Amino acid sequence: MYVGDARRAVAFPLGGLGTGHVALCGDGALRQWQLNGPPNHTGLLPDSFFALRVSSLEPPDDVVRLLRAAPIAPHPRPAANVSDADVPDAGEPWRWPFVADTTFEAAYPFATVTYRDPALPVAVALEAHTPFVPLDADASALPLVRFRFTIRNDSAEFRHGFLLGTLQNAAGWDGVTPIRGTRGAGYGGNVNRLLRRPGQSGVLMDHPGLAEDDPAAGELLLWTDAPAAVLPRAHDADALLRFAETVRLVAPTQLGDYSDATLRAALACGASPMRAPSGPSPAGHTWDAAVAAAFALGPGESTTIDIVHAWWFPNRYADFDRFGPQHAYGPARFWVGNHYATRFGGALDVLDAYLADRDRLDAASRAWADAVAGSDLPEPLRETIAAQPALVRSPSVFRTADGRTFAFEGALGASTRNWNGDAGGSCPLNCNHVLNYEQALARLFPSAGRDMRETEFAVQAPDGSIPHRVVLPLYLPQLHGVPIGGPERPALDGMLGAVLKTYRSVQDGAGSDWLRARWPALVSLMSYVSDTWDREGDGVLRGDQPVTYDISLHEPNMFVGGLWLAALRAMQEMGGGPAFGERFERASKAYDALLWNGEFYAFGAGCLSDQLLGQWWAHELDLGHLLPVDRVRTALRSIVRYNLRRGFAKHGYREFADGDETGLVVCTWPHGGRPAVPLRYCDEVWTGVEYQVAAHCLYEGLDEEGLAIVRGVRARYDGTRRNPFNEIECGDHYVRAMAGWSLLTAWTRGRRPGRYPYVAGTSWGSLEVAADGGISCSSHEFPSGSANPA
């Protein structure tokens, strides 16, 4: 639970896989609107909020509140490189007061805000979610949010009133340009249509004047199935709140009949004297809209009210930064589309698909939340696993119309305000050396992991190399034989990771036919690596080795070497024959003899936190130990001893830990010998590296070392200065942080007694490990006949 100052930076992403999102924040406000267009962590859609009016039968008892708390005072020492604590509309005048306080709880995909105010005679709480079903990518890719409010009458009197839900028609907004009230670039000619269906009401919004292929063309929907009065068009927030002040229940009050049917009848005929503007919005402006859902409660009674936001924006373009040489494509716009828009014909279609399957989707979402929250994982691990799907469904990941999955390294934000700005996708696209750490996306949705492997091999160069970035659309020239950027030549660690990630897909059910189709590409890749870096034939890779630190390493090192050893073992297991096994044995002995210094596998004189990344992968893939077991464990202890730091001073690079915080730095030189120009990023703290080292410690039985690292991460991301659902590196929602999923695999691999969530094969759920090692499962099978089985 997040209370007080711990709410300051909480921003919980709501939205489906590859559909965009809006964040529900610790104060109850909706921010970070990213429904279409480039990622923009500071996106604000004005006049989109919830409010409450509670009345009684005798005057003057009529209490109104905005369902958000006042902005929390800035931290006296704000964290660098983050913006989740920013409140873009702080200082805006509001017609109604805020509630006195909020508390925030999360059990992904559910977020709960409890509103507290001594003047309110009712208790109010909001539970918001977007359906999330492991293994089922389509069920987890709905562009909507269900907001469920529970209102309980805690007074001794009868109470009635209205829950107000509002939404601005954002069709035409590019997602980046600031909006002032209802005035914004791209607005003008927006149309809001009243929606009335049996038991349902709301407003359907679009912008018919836009061309069908306009990036901002689309639809939004504000909907409820509660008895409600609807204001389909309004000029500003004042009008929305004034509407709530004027709505009345005349017939129910006179008759003393507050039944559902009577409420609906009273509201259907118009319950407010306010007139809505008509027609399309004026030039440069859009419309706001509101639903005022009625409730009536005797003492001690409660009710629930659902309000849904749905959206549908079919046009995505490859309009983000392009690394590599610049090509003069002129006015060409490369449309790639959004996959969800091929499944639904509009925002109303999205809603109907949800309603038709609501019970199953909500039940499955609840089952996953309960499996994690009710598990026996240690608290820091439970917090990490609960937050991992938020990274998966962040704007960093998207699906094009053809169903392919792509990922930026992150979403540009406060950490990229240098040459790159703070709006758009960070470092496109599918950067394989960063995705070497990702486990959550591929394990939760194996079809997505498999798809990304197919894309990776689709851009393989004729010489067998794989560039570490993909150019979209895929028919454009790929980054073959040209400077790529970050690093300049194809990343060696990323290429070796392609082998490991392919074997992961095989283990996750891709099948022998799928592997057979990729085998020639794998052989070509491994031949390229051998011919380029193992020219001496002793199994040690030498020479210029481009890696994820955006530079090249020039001496033999265990970071690259461990990935090479794991790739050789994976090729052997995938059917490559004894030649790969023999090469592995030779390489393992050579690397061990060359680099072991008695404490760790030396990186020059340095102790690199990533030195055993390949061994972490080997444990993820059940490949066994790549190096002597005792040395692996000693090296891990040394990494924790020397690199887990408490207390940070400014170091000239990006600060992801500061003050007296705890974090695992990228590299140290514990016995001196730090070069004048050290490893790039050496003093930074990357959560993706922290998670993989921590998980590796758990695999090796070094529980306290592993938990100490994770405790440090969660303490930094505790809501006071940083968002627990947004881990930062080169951008927000950085995909390297999805290494955190491996903590679950590592903790449960040893069959520790307890109850744990799991995702495996074609099922997911909870498993119970008995004291004798026996396992029983409460499982949910992936729907038969679906296109997304693992």
Side-chain angles (χ1 to χ4, degrees):
M1 178 182 291
Y2 301 91
V3 299
D5 284 357
R7 300 168 300 143
R8 181 184 288 111
V10 171
F12 187 94
L14 295 163
L17 174 63
T19 69
H21 86 203
V22 58
L24 178 62
C25 297
D27 60 4
L30 297 175
R31 290 194 277 272
Q32 300 179 11
W33 292 86
Q34 300 174 79
L35 306 185
N36 72 306
N40 176 28
H41 202 63
T42 61
L44 176 67
L45 189 62
D47 305 347
S48 303
F49 57 87
F50 299 104
L52 186 71
R53 174 187 168 199
V54 185
S55 304
S56 64
L57 296 178
E58 297 296 331
D61 199 356
D62 192 81
V63 182
V64 296
R65 288 291 185 274
L66 291 169
L67 291 179
R68 58 181 284 188
I72 301 168
H75 194 280
R77 190 172 49 85
N81 299 310
V82 298
S83 61
D84 290 284
D86 294 354
V87 182
D89 59 352
E92 289 288 326
W94 288 92
R95 186 182 186 91
W96 289 10
F98 299 126
V99 295
D101 196 12
T102 57
T103 62
F104 190 100
E105 296 179 79
Y108 196 88
F110 297 92
T112 301
V113 178
T114 302
Y115 307 93
R116 304 184 186 281
D117 195 300
L120 279 174
V122 297
V124 191
L126 162 64
E127 181 186 76
H129 90 291
T130 299
F132 176 80
V133 186
L135 301 178
D136 194 337
D138 283 348
S140 302
L142 294 177
L144 62 74
V145 182
R146 189 214 71 187
F147 300 96
R148 171 162 288 180
F149 290 86
T150 300
I151 304 172
R152 186 185 70 246
N153 183 2
D154 285 346
S155 75
E157 300 179 28
F158 179 85
R159 303 287 179 176
H160 67 280
F162 296 91
L163 172 70
L164 187 73
T166 74
L167 184 64
Q168 183 168 107
N169 182 342
W173 181 40
D174 60 16
V176 177
T177 306
I179 305 167
R180 297 288 179 261
T182 56
R183 188 177 75 253
Y187 283 166
N190 295 68
V191 173
N192 286 8
R193 296 177 176 87
L194 180 66
L195 171 70
R196 287 287 192 195
R197 302 197 297 190
Q200 305 176 28
S201 56
V203 181
L204 184 62
M205 311 172 181
D206 65 359
H207 192 328
L210 296 176
E212 290 186 359
D213 64 349
D214 191 290
E219 298 179 354
L220 299 93
L221 176 66
L222 173 65
W223 174 94
T224 185
D225 57 358
V230 180
L231 182 67
R233 289 168 293 279
H235 287 290
D236 54 30
D238 269 2
L240 299 171
L241 294 172
R242 182 60 181 151
F243 172 66
E245 291 170 349
T246 63
V247 178
R248 59 226 179 176
L249 298 173
V250 177
T253 301
Q254 289 178 336
L255 300 174
D257 179 2
Y258 291 88
S259 65
D260 185 271
T262 303
L263 290 176
R264 290 184 186 278
L267 296 170
C269 299
S272 167
M274 280 186 59
R275 292 185 59 181
S278 61
S281 63
H285 289 261
T286 188
W287 295 126
D288 296 334
V291 293
F295 61 88
L297 302 170
E301 291 182 342
S302 65
T303 189
T304 59
I305 296 173
D306 278 3
I307 294 176
V308 169
H309 290 173
W311 59 92
W312 182 82
F313 290 94
N315 300 318
R316 178 184 290 271
Y317 289 86
D319 56 0
F320 35 77
D321 302 334
R322 295 185 186 278
F323 280 38
Q326 299 301 298
H327 296 279
Y329 292 119
R333 295 192 303 171
F334 297 108
W335 186 92
V336 293
N338 282 316
H339 179 59
Y340 76 81
T342 68
R343 300 172 51 217
F344 309 112
L348 193 57
D349 200 21
V350 171
L351 172 73
D352 287 343
Y354 170 61
L355 295 179
D357 204 16
R358 174 166 50 178
D359 291 346
R360 181 186 73 87
L361 293 173
D362 289 358
S365 301
R366 179 69 62 191
W368 176 253
D370 290 346
V372 177
S375 73
D376 293 321
L377 290 168
E379 182 62 24
L381 269 59
R382 188 164 58 245
E383 289 182 4
T384 303
I385 298 306
Q388 287 282 292
L391 294 168
V392 172
R393 298 206 296 183
S394 75
S396 298
V397 179
F398 63 94
R399 301 169 77 197
T400 50
D402 58 8
R404 290 179 180 267
T405 303
F406 294 91
F408 300 109
E409 289 187 25
L412 296 177
S415 64
T416 64
R417 285 178 187 159
N418 39 51
W419 64 274
N420 212 8
D422 66 355
S426 172
C427 303
L429 196 63
N430 285 24
C431 182
N432 62 14
H433 60 72
V434 172
L435 287 167
N436 261 4
Y437 298 75
E438 179 275 313
Q439 297 292 347
L441 174 62
R443 296 297 193 185
L444 283 165
F445 302 108
S447 60
R450 188 163 61 242
D451 169 67
M452 294 183 88
R453 301 290 72 71
E454 293 170 3
T455 297
E456 194 164 36
F457 288 119
V459 302
Q460 188 172 23
D463 64 2
S465 66
I466 297 178
H468 51 271
R469 302 192 192 279
V470 171
V471 176
L472 195 64
L474 294 177
Y475 57 74
L476 292 178
Q478 296 299 318
L479 300 173
H480 297 161
V482 298
I484 300 174
E488 293 301 303
R489 296 192 299 109
L492 175 54
D493 52 343
M495 286 187 279
L496 295 172
V499 178
L500 303 174
K501 287 175 274 193
T502 300
Y503 188 35
R504 178 179 61 193
S505 288
V506 172
Q507 290 186 339
D508 284 341
S512 57
D513 289 344
W514 184 87
L515 174 59
R516 194 174 296 112
R518 260 107 235 137
W519 187 251
L522 288 168
V523 172
S524 177
L525 171 60
M526 290 296 278
S527 295
Y528 173 80
V529 171
S530 297
D531 294 346
T532 305
W533 287 283
D534 186 20
R535 292 178 178 174
E536 295 185 16
D538 62 351
V540 175
L541 305 186
R542 293 178 170 86
D544 185 279
Q545 303 160 61
V547 294
T548 196
Y549 308 115
D550 295 337
I551 58 170
S552 290
L553 307 181
H554 297 280
E555 301 295 332
N557 62 89
M558 194 56 80
F559 171 59
V560 169
L563 290 168
W564 168 238
L565 296 177
L568 290 171
R569 283 284 295 114
M571 291 293 288
Q572 180 185 10
E573 290 297 313
M574 285 188 284
F580 284 103
E582 293 167 4
R583 198 165 198 178
F584 162 77
E585 294 294 342
R586 184 167 62 251
S588 176
K589 292 177 182 177
Y591 268 106
D592 184 64
L594 186 64
L595 300 176
W596 180 249
N597 69 359
E599 287 187 293
F600 51 85
Y601 289 97
F603 180 73
C607 179
L608 184 68
S609 288
D610 258 340
Q611 65 188 263
L612 295 173
L613 180 66
Q615 183 61 71
W616 170 74
W617 261 108
H619 286 317
E620 284 289 300
L621 301 176
D622 275 331
L623 295 174
H625 277 90
L626 309 175
L627 298 156
V629 177
D630 57 338
R631 293 186 174 183
V632 167
R633 291 173 181 164
T634 298
L636 279 172
R637 291 189 183 98
S638 297
I639 292 169
V640 176
R641 179 184 310 119
Y642 295 132
N643 295 7
L644 185 61
R645 177 182 299 169
R646 175 160 187 170
F648 290 82
K650 290 187 178 299
H651 51 75
Y653 261 80
R654 299 167 300 186
E655 294 181 7
F656 304 123
D658 60 14
D660 63 355
E661 293 178 326
T662 296
L664 189 79
V665 298
V666 168
C667 188
T668 63
W669 286 262
H671 306 302
R674 174 172 170 141
V677 181
L679 176 74
R680 193 178 191 187
Y681 310 128
C682 63
D683 296 313
E684 294 185 355
V685 173
W686 295 355
T687 61
V689 174
E690 290 180 288
Y691 285 144
Q692 71 89 1
V693 173
H696 192 178
C697 286
L698 300 181
Y699 273 125
E700 302 289 351
L702 306 178
D703 291 0
E704 188 46 49
E705 288 88 341
L707 289 172
I709 296 172
V710 184
R711 287 190 198 104
V713 178
R714 301 324 304 175
R716 299 199 309 271
Y717 286 87
D718 67 351
T720 57
R721 303 170 73 230
R722 299 182 185 87
N723 183 4
F725 309 100
N726 176 22
E727 291 169 71
I728 307 293
E729 197 183 309
C730 186
D732 292 276
H733 302 289
Y734 201 74
V735 298
R736 196 192 311 267
M738 286 193 271
W741 187 260
S742 65
L743 294 167
L744 175 62
T745 314
W747 186 263
T748 57
R749 184 66 58 85
R751 294 200 171 188
R752 306 167 195 262
R755 184 176 179 82
Y756 308 110
Y758 81 94
V759 180
T762 58
S763 72
W764 60 273
S766 292
L767 58 84
E768 187 88 31
V769 180
D772 62 1
I775 296 178
S776 59
C777 295
S778 173
S779 63
H780 300 258
E781 293 297 320
F782 190 85
S784 61
S786 172
N788 294 304

